[in-house]
Amino acid sequence: MPSKPTNESFDVFIIGAGPAGTAAAISLREIIPDARVGIADTGKAAHFHVGESVPPPIKPFLDHLGVATAFENAAHSPAFRTLSAWGSSGLESNEFFLHAYNTGWRLDRTNFNAMLKTEAIRRGTANISARAFSLAESPHGWLIDCGNVGKFSARYVIDASGHTAVVSRWLKYAPRKLDRLIGCAVFFEHQTQQPELFDTETAVIEACYQGWWYTAAIPGHRRIAMLMTDADIARQLSIANMSTWLHHSSLTKHIKQRTDTRFPLTQPMIFPASSRCFTDTYPPGIVAVGDAISSFDPLSSQGIVKALRSALYASYAIADHYLGNDTIGFSKYFTLMRNEFDNYSVTWQDYYRREQRWPEAPFWQRRHRMKLT
């Protein structure tokens, strides 16, 4: 069959309307006001977003994007510390008040994503309700096939598709992986068996033989609890089975005290959480941002901040080339992303090595014996 005609041409076409994609659009419209920016959004919002905590350093990025006021007016829950049973059975506190920006947040992700997208559109970004299926070179850049919606041409393409990293998959790139971490989460009503332990401002982390647990109250009168472990261990445990999940949560010391499992809102939900980075050289005009270029362990609470940071740096690289035909910005960007991941890897391994209570457990052996390259 003959191919569909190109619907529209853009200077920059962004695949994915999560925080990285929308932040890139906002920044590009600010730096290059005359640039034609389009963002492809499938429009399929998740009914439940995994509860994400963001640390205080998110504040400068929100200020830079000009969305700090909108963020502060939204229904995000303040967070001032994290409690963790890591390396011992007792809880220790990591206080945010020691940071220059002393308030962290647990996001209402639906609200947060919508706020950034609204701001991107308000500033002139074209919203394209479509899914991108393939990418091909064209005489003037790239051609993005969006199926029944049509084909779009662009000088630059930003892959902001998250952990699926669609452009890297199309290019047959393989990431460098540190682990096979997955999360198995269940949402509950906003209740607890012991009210005196229920702190809406505090997240709790508890290491266990199979990995580690996390729980926190999140906006919408809900609580999330999840086990983080490796994919093969999760399969062996059948952790996606509700009764199995409940059994293992009942073996915890601190998580079970803060989660009333009588009121589940979902079955166990599996999501990828591996630490990885794409290190290939991307073709000219293609940039990956957020989890599409690298992803960090949820322990770091750096996912959203990293997404915003990479989006800003990627927009600067595109602007350098758009305004002055300077290609150095692209090489600097990818070098920065890889160096960031290398530095993160050292911190990641150091933190996991602090937990020595189960030296015979496969989950911990993998992290203790790994040699970083």
Side-chain angles (χ1 to χ4, degrees), residues 289-360:
V289 296
D291 283 351
I293 183 66
S294 66
S295 54
F296 290 0
D297 193 304
L299 271 176
S300 71
S301 295
Q302 290 294 316
I304 298 295
V305 171
K306 181 177 66 65
L308 301 182
R309 181 171 59 240
S310 65
L312 289 174
Y313 292 155
S315 70
Y316 301 155
I318 289 174
D320 285 347
H321 191 265
Y322 182 93
L323 297 172
N325 205 33
D326 184 353
T327 61
I328 296 177
F330 289 117
S331 61
K332 285 183 176 179
Y333 170 76
F334 285 112
T335 298
L336 179 64
M337 292 298 102
R338 289 156 192 159
N339 288 343
E340 178 184 70
F341 187 79
D342 288 340
N343 293 333
Y344 154 78
S345 300
V346 174
T347 303
W348 171 88
Q349 188 173 68
D350 176 68
Y351 194 80
Y352 272 103
R353 284 179 172 173
R354 296 180 189 180
E355 179 53 82
Q356 296 287 335
R357 284 179 287 170
W358 302 283
E360 77 286 2

Side-chain angles (χ1 to χ4, degrees), residues 178-199:
L178 296 185
D179 58 28
R180 294 170 284 175
L181 191 70
I182 61 98
C184 188
V186 179
F187 291 84
F188 298 92
E189 288 186 18
H190 193 65
Q191 308 206 26
T192 182
Q193 296 175 20
Q194 300 184 52
E196 70 276 8
L197 296 173
F198 190 79
D199 182 354

